Amino acid sequence: MSEKYPLNVPTPTHFTYVVKDLPKVTVEEREKALKATHYNEFAFPSGLLTIDMLSDSGTTAMTNTQWASLFLGDEAYGRNTGYYVLLDTFRDIFERGGEKNWKKTLDLVRTDCRDVEKMMNEVYLCEYEGGLFNGGAAQMERPNSFIIQQGRAAESVLMEIVKNILTERHPGKVFTIPSNGHFDTTEGNIKQMGSIPRNLYNKKLLYEIPEGGKYDKNPFKGNMDLEKLEELINGVGVQNVPLIFMCITNNTVCGQPVSMANIREVNKIAHKYNIPLIFDVARWAENSYFIKMNEEGYEDKSIAEIASEMFSYCDGFCMSAKKDGHANMGGMLAFRDKGLFWQKFSDFNEDGSMKMDVGVRLKVKQISCYGNDSYGGMSGHDIMALAVGLYESCDFNYMDSRVKQVEYLAQGFFKAGVKGVVLPAGGHAVYINMDEFFDGKRGHDTFAGQGFSLELIRRYGIRVAELGDFSMEYDLKTPEQQAELANVVRFAIDRSRLSQEHLDYVIAAVKALYEDRESIPNMRILWGKNLPMRHFHAFLEPYKNEEK
């Protein structure tokens, strides 16, 4: 907007020109569907919803530039053109900071460059090594970047190979993997590899609400608790901690950002003990935005410059590329060439020569489960849309409007008098603390947060994600793990899809449900209590307190 003629409303950053109409569904019809799907919110038909806030994973609207890029997709089985574009896009943002060769490879493809020598020299036969994305012969000799269709698949590949290596070396041993906050699929994959996940953050700070509901600066509530991390490493023994994870932003801990200072200190602790540091970076762009806006020394840096520094501190990362508005499908697994992860999990002969490169083991698993390494389960057109989306996530104006939309919903709940709203909001979702919402009157065995989630569907056609006692398996955890669990429900906001009208409807619905919270039923699990990641497939039913 003009500084000379200011307005007290935000300037629009985009407009919508594709519309989807919604059917009118009655409470009785939704109740029938809930019963038929065993009260599992993941199984509820999306076509019966008014607003779906279950996840922002792959549900975002794509831009016109992304839609146009679909036509540039190369569906070749081996070394499709998008493979080169995508790896160079990651290098641009995660290693170069957008300062050199920005979009060069993408633009050569977008302009249909027919200069064969140029394409060979600048795209197809370029050699890269020493970072997170080897290229050319180096990627074949020491594979360290793996395109995979989504984040949980990347986690699964990583965890299975790590488990196999640890089992070969230390049969029967149980390991502990700490994080600032393992998300549900990460925790599920860690448990399936026989290890113990731990979440180390400051819960008191998480639920703190300043007077008036607003902070001058974001307090980075997603940070790793450094003291707890050192205590855990020394308590279980450094030999029993094969990896340290950092979730950036911290989805489990209410989508809260992590400061660069905290990332730097966790890197120091990890490397002091010779432990590889692995990032879960589904929402790296949002985290970079929060650092730019709230951390001293970063106000003049671009999102890509901040991202490059962030990634300089990791030994590897798993990524769902379906968040942050990147694309509707995509993921990546990568580790630093000849870095600490490679050193710790590769096998060497006594003379120091390579016996088995961990990257080769990862590549074999990727190919056997998801497809050739140059597409990894993704289509060529999705790869191109992802490359464009990664660059678009570096746009400050887009990220600024996205984060402010999320904060609008959080403040709407707070101003409506709803207790338990986590403030400030994270970058992709609003979370409500169910313990406080119910005034501490519901026990951990009542799964009342799940009752809240299902009642929102039944009454108002709004689907959200319970990420508390039920989904994160409070009843199956040790006392230490139970203390680390945030009993919350998440309202995810996907890119450019929901208007203020949608958010005002959600605010009104939650306010009405809060005022009638005594009537929200508790839930019990009928089937699937001990299944991995049970919230995706368990059967439930409502009951009243006196029935138990």
Side-chain angles (χ1 to χ4, degrees), residues 75 190 285:
E75 304 300 340
I190 289 172

Side-chain angles (χ1 to χ4, degrees), residues 225-437:
D225 188 312
L226 302 175
E227 186 175 334
K228 289 180 182 177
L229 177 60
E230 292 241 35
E231 287 177 357
L232 184 141
I233 293 171
N234 290 311
V236 303
V238 65
Q239 71 278 7
N240 297 317
V241 182
L243 300 170
I244 295 173
F245 261 75
M246 285 198 82
C247 190
I248 305 169
T249 57
N250 195 341
N251 198 357
T252 295
V253 182
C254 302
Q256 295 294 304
V258 183
S259 71
M260 190 74 81
N262 189 252
I263 292 170
R264 195 179 299 118
E265 289 304 310
V266 172
N267 169 277
K268 288 180 182 178
I269 292 172
H271 287 194
K272 179 175 77 172
Y273 293 103
N274 207 33
I275 302 171
L277 175 59
I278 307 297
F279 287 172
D280 174 352
V281 291
R283 298 179 179 87
W284 60 270
E286 292 169 12
N287 204 80
S288 298
Y289 168 88
F290 281 113
I291 289 172
K292 177 179 176 65
M293 299 299 290
N294 298 285
E295 194 163 356
E296 187 176 351
Y298 292 93
E299 57 274 5
D300 296 325
K301 292 185 179 294
S302 69
I303 287 175
E305 287 172 323
I306 294 169
S308 285
E309 182 180 346
M310 272 198 322
F311 280 86
S312 72
Y313 297 120
C314 76
D315 299 297
F317 70 86
C318 295
M319 178 185 185
S320 168
K322 299 169 67 177
K323 283 83 170 176
D324 259 350
H326 299 137
N328 298 130
M329 184 56 67
M332 178 65 74
L333 169 63
F335 63 86
R336 197 167 302 283
D337 185 29
K338 297 184 180 180
L340 185 56
F341 176 83
W342 179 82
Q343 296 168 26
K344 295 285 284 188
F345 289 99
S346 294
D347 291 322
F348 299 89
N349 294 309
E350 291 184 5
D351 63 0
S353 61
M354 178 60 64
K355 183 177 180 181
M356 176 54 75
D357 189 306
V358 64
V360 173
R361 296 180 71 150
L362 290 167
K363 184 175 177 179
V364 168
K365 180 64 181 177
Q366 175 204 26
I367 293 172
S368 65
C369 288
Y370 302 105
N372 191 22
D373 62 329
S374 56
Y375 70 91
M378 293 184 67
S379 64
H381 59 267
D382 278 331
I383 287 174
M384 292 302 297
L386 172 55
V388 172
L390 286 164
Y391 286 120
E392 289 178 341
S393 293
C394 296
D395 182 339
F396 173 81
N397 290 327
Y398 154 62
M399 197 55 65
D400 188 57
S401 64
R402 171 164 172 73
V403 171
K404 286 178 178 175
Q405 187 183 38
V406 178
E407 187 65 18
Y408 176 86
L409 181 61
Q411 288 296 324
F413 289 157
F414 180 74
K415 292 172 184 175
V418 177
K419 286 185 180 179
V421 184
V422 176
L423 295 171
H428 76 286
V430 176
Y431 295 69
I432 297 178
N433 173 5
M434 289 290 103
D435 295 333
E436 192 170 349
F437 183 91

Side-chain angles (χ1 to χ4, degrees), residues 478-495:
T478 65
E480 293 84 2
Q481 292 172 312
Q482 289 175 341
E484 297 162 2
L485 188 151
N487 185 23
V488 294
V489 167
R490 182 185 72 178
F491 295 72
I493 299 179
D494 34 26
R495 162 163 118 165

